[in-house]
Every structure is written in C-alpha cells, then in structure tokens.
Amino acid sequence: MAVRVLPVALALLSVGVVTAAPFTLKTAGGTPWSLASVLGRERVLVVNNPTVSYLAEVRRQDVELQVRDLRVVALLPPGDARLNVPRTLMLTLLADPGGRAGAPYGRTALIGKDRGVKARYRSLPDLETVLGLIDTMPMRQQERRERGR
C-alpha cells in the first residue's frame, strides 16, 4: 500500500517533547488496561470518542498499524455500544468515565516510542496521514532498515 503524506501541519495543534500521561482504564469486559504497558514498545494513537466509521477504518488498516507498531487506543464513554465493536490486534477500546484520562490528549494525540507526544490533532486524523508522519520519524526509518519493511 502506498502511503500518502498529507500536509500534517494543518491538522496539528502542537508538536513537542511533552511526555505521555499514563492511565489505566477498563475494557468493556472489565479488564484493566494500562497505557504504561505499551509505552516504549509501541507508538500509540489516543483517540477520544471516535466514530463507528473511524473504528472500521482502523480495523481495515490493522496490518499497516502492525508494521509501524502503532496501537490505536479509542477512549469511549462507559456503556457505549462502540466498546463492543470487533477488535483487532492493534485496536484497544476503553471506557473513559467523564473523559478524564483522555483530556490531556485532546481529540487525538500520537505518542512515539520515546514516550513523547509527537502530534495532537483537532479532529480525527486520516490514518494515512498518521502513518505518513510515522514514516518520517528517525526511529521508524531505523526500523525499516533493520526489518526491511
């Protein structure tokens, strides 16, 4: 799949070296899941209240997410029907009571493997835009050389 690199700067609220604020929330089944469990091993796209169609696109792009070690963490209101949509390897659905855990990230934020917040988006970003941004990152370029993909 060819990845389009779109004008990312138009969607960004800020970019910097802000460190991710870890949280622990529950899945629809009541199992606790902690952001700290993946920080440093995976890139994380924290998405607050995504649409059903956005979650479907995440599921469709699962292989591309795996290649880039990108986990999408969707934060939803407790009891929301979207908590029960089909999951994939790289999609985590969590109940965020009152939106407190997701508040520091805004609508959407990309966290790098170095635990830094790399981008914040005002709206749900096109996944190809996020993948394109990741592909420009030095750590990802090193991974491509080492892994050959």
Side-chain angles (χ1 to χ4, degrees):
M1 171 187 139
V3 176
R4 294 181 296 159
V5 178
L6 300 174
V8 175
L10 296 176
L12 298 178
L13 286 173
S14 65
V15 177
V17 291
V18 176
T19 302
F23 55 79
T24 299
L25 296 171
K26 292 184 179 180
T27 66
T31 305
W33 185 90
S34 175
L35 179 61
S37 69
V38 298
L39 287 177
R41 294 184 305 121
E42 296 176 342
R43 294 170 184 92
V44 180
L45 185 66
V46 177
V47 184
N48 282 295
N49 208 16
T51 62
V52 171
S53 61
Y54 195 81
L55 293 174
E57 180 63 15
V58 169
R59 287 192 308 276
R60 192 183 74 69
Q61 297 258 9
D62 192 62
V63 171
E64 294 299 322
L65 302 177
Q66 289 176 49
V67 166
R68 290 167 181 85
D69 300 328
L70 177 61
R71 174 168 305 282
V72 176
V73 176
L75 304 178
L76 299 160
D80 192 293
R82 290 170 292 175
L83 287 166
N84 298 311
V85 300
R87 293 160 187 76
T88 61
L89 184 62
M90 300 309 283
L91 174 60
T92 300
L93 303 167
L94 301 171
D96 184 8
R100 288 183 296 275
Y105 297 102
R107 178 68 163 136
T108 305
L110 174 63
I111 303 167
K113 284 188 175 181
D114 63 357
R115 296 178 166 88
V117 176
K118 303 299 182 186
R120 295 180 193 270
Y121 299 89
R122 290 185 182 112
S123 59
L124 294 173
D126 182 86
L127 285 177
E128 290 187 17
T129 299
V130 176
L131 297 175
L133 175 59
I134 289 170
D135 285 344
T136 67
M137 295 177 176
M139 190 177 293
R140 170 66 181 139
Q141 291 174 359
Q142 178 183 344
E143 291 168 359
R144 290 178 82 175
R145 286 189 298 272
E146 292 171 359
R147 297 178 188 173
R149 55 182 180 144

